[in-house]
Amino acid sequence: MAEAAHVPKAALYYYHGSVWASVPLLALEEKGYGSDEVDLKEVDIAKGENFMPSYLRLNPQATVPTLVVPLQKTLAPDIESRYKAIQDTKAIVEFLDKSRSSQSRTHTTSSAPSPALAPATMAFSTLAHQIVDLVHSDAADPNALFYTNARSEGELQAHAKRLLPFLHGRRETLSKLLEESESGAIQVSEKTKAFWELKKIAADNFIEVFQDAEKSVAELTDEGRQKREAYFQSANSGWHGLKSVLNTLHQDIIGPYALGDQLSVADLHLAAWLARIASLAGANAADDGNTAVGKIEAHVGDGFNLPKDFSVAEARRRAGLAPNSVDSTERQNKLAAFWDAVKERPSWKKIYGERLH
């Protein structure tokens, strides 16, 4: 135990409401990491903490998650530890998967099982990459949909109330950082200043639309009307484009998990993505798969529905769930079956048990 105190630990920088930071949090649970093996450090992006110079040194893109890990050759207690930062969600989860296994030399304190999340075959690996790449694509971007989740005057008013405090917090931090960099209170590169300015402009653009949300179209200036129309056009385009993403996922998933009856790295990305989309559609953590995906279908609109061609009884059998007197003829879409399967996992309950995000 005395030696363990000298072992440097990894640190995961995350935000509790971040869709992609939830993926490594799910991985930590599924891989059985002990609570004392990885330091969890929350970065409040609602307050713009991700734009602070100290965080930009770890992640110049100002995104979460970031995993900071000690280099393997500097783990000995008599050597000064050196670290590297991993900023990509996919790379972080792959690192966590490989770092706790029967072959790894990680100084683990947990006795929990550490099942491999990497696909077992080349074919499964190809499919897993295909699914992960899709949910991380521009067409599926959950963060873009987070900002453009209003397609009517009423929805815009409700959405503005939710997002304005978040946007004001980020803009205030960015404004302060820019002022301090100009006054010389803090020293940063011109590249960093330009980055802050770009992010401030992005926040300002949304704020300008949201702060006029209570106004009728007749009350808007010509510029305000154009900005609202552009916002609605972007929102409609984003949610309309989600149809293709959802259909492709339904076709690609084997069921109930992405690769069949075994959880894989693809499921962690898909679970976090689907939780965000469901949340934006008005679903909650207590909803079953049919209800949650039904709300997504309704929110997409235009009568969109995924095919109900997957046996509920078979999905529950493959996921190791109790049949619950399910009729053998009952069918559901694969995303609903996926939801029901992951919803019962302890990792999901820990990350999403209170609310979706």
Side-chain angles (χ1 to χ4, degrees):
M1 293 301 292
E3 181 182 351
H6 296 289
V7 176
K9 293 196 292 185
L12 178 66
Y13 292 80
Y14 76 105
Y15 177 62
H16 69 273
S18 164
V19 53
W20 296 129
S22 298
V23 183
L25 292 175
L26 289 168
L28 289 175
E29 297 302 316
E30 291 293 343
K31 290 296 295 185
Y33 279 89
S35 59
D36 61 339
E37 291 186 82
V38 179
D39 284 333
L40 298 180
K41 297 180 180 291
E42 183 154 20
V43 180
D44 193 340
I45 64 175
K47 295 180 180 179
E49 290 180 357
N50 52 314
F51 298 121
M52 300 300 289
S54 58
Y55 187 71
L56 291 179
R57 283 192 286 271
L58 299 176
N59 187 330
Q61 289 77 42
T63 57
V64 288
T66 297
L67 182 67
V68 177
V69 297
L71 297 176
Q72 183 175 326
K73 292 182 179 179
T74 67
L75 291 177
D78 57 339
I79 299 176
E80 182 179 357
S81 297
R82 296 176 60 192
Y83 297 81
K84 69 174 180 178
I86 308 173
Q87 299 101 355
D88 178 71
T89 303
K90 303 174 194 176
I92 289 173
V93 174
E94 289 177 6
F95 180 89
L96 292 174
D97 185 30
K98 293 176 181 177
S99 293
R100 188 164 193 276
S101 69
S102 57
Q103 287 79 37
S104 70
R105 288 181 283 175
T106 304
H107 294 274
T108 182
T109 61
S110 172
S111 59
S114 55
L117 298 176
T121 67
M122 287 296 294
F124 277 168
S125 181
T126 299
L127 178 57
H129 282 298
Q130 190 172 305
I131 292 170
V132 172
D133 288 345
L134 177 58
V135 298
H136 282 272
S137 69
D138 290 342
D141 189 354
N143 289 319
L145 294 171
F146 169 77
Y147 288 107
T148 57
N149 192 31
R151 288 166 288 171
S152 68
E153 307 294 333
E155 288 180 352
L156 183 63
Q157 292 171 11
H159 200 45
K161 291 178 181 178
R162 290 190 292 267
L163 259 63
L164 275 173
F166 175 84
L167 289 165
H168 280 306
R170 289 164 68 84
R171 183 176 67 174
E172 288 171 8
T173 295
L174 287 164
S175 296
K176 183 179 179 182
L177 288 168
L178 285 165
E179 290 173 5
E180 291 180 347
S181 66
E182 289 301 319
S183 69
I186 57 175
Q187 302 294 324
V188 295
S189 68
E190 291 300 319
K191 182 178 179 180
T192 297
K193 292 179 187 178
F195 176 75
W196 285 338
E197 189 63 49
L198 188 64
K199 292 299 182 181
K200 182 177 177 295
I201 291 172
D204 285 338
N205 288 338
F206 281 116
I207 288 172
E208 288 172 2
V209 173
F210 292 144
Q211 67 186 4
D212 287 340
E214 297 294 331
K215 293 181 180 180
S216 66
V217 173
E219 294 175 304
L220 293 171
T221 64
D222 288 343
E223 183 182 8
R225 192 177 302 112
Q226 291 173 1
K227 288 184 176 181
R228 183 177 292 185
E229 289 174 357
Y231 175 88
F232 283 146
Q233 183 178 4
S234 178
N236 283 315
S237 176
W239 284 97
H240 179 79
L242 206 63
K243 295 178 184 178
S244 175
V245 174
L246 292 166
N247 275 320
T248 300
L249 287 170
H250 173 79
Q251 294 167 7
D252 288 350
I253 293 171
I254 295 176
Y257 297 116
L259 306 182
D261 58 2
Q262 294 294 319
L263 191 83
S264 74
V265 65
D267 297 298
L268 307 185
H269 292 269
L270 179 57
W273 180 84
L274 192 60
R276 166 60 62 83
I277 301 301
S279 174
L280 294 174
N284 59 66
D287 287 338
D288 62 19
N290 290 335
T291 302
V293 177
K295 290 177 180 178
I296 293 174
E297 292 170 329
H299 198 65
V300 168
D302 298 329
F304 174 73
N305 285 289
L306 291 167
K308 291 184 171 65
D309 54 8
F310 195 62
S311 167
V312 176
E314 177 64 10
R316 297 188 67 84
R317 184 191 68 78
R318 291 186 185 179
L321 303 177
N324 289 347
S325 303
V326 174
D327 190 290
S328 60
T329 62
E330 187 176 349
R331 297 290 185 270
Q332 64 184 160
N333 63 66
K334 290 180 183 176
L335 284 175
F338 172 81
W339 181 282
D340 287 336
V342 297
K343 183 173 179 286
E344 296 303 315
R345 301 189 72 86
S347 61
W348 171 279
K349 293 177 181 178
K350 182 169 182 177
I351 307 306
Y352 296 108
E354 296 184 1
R355 59 175 297 181
L356 301 175
H357 55 263

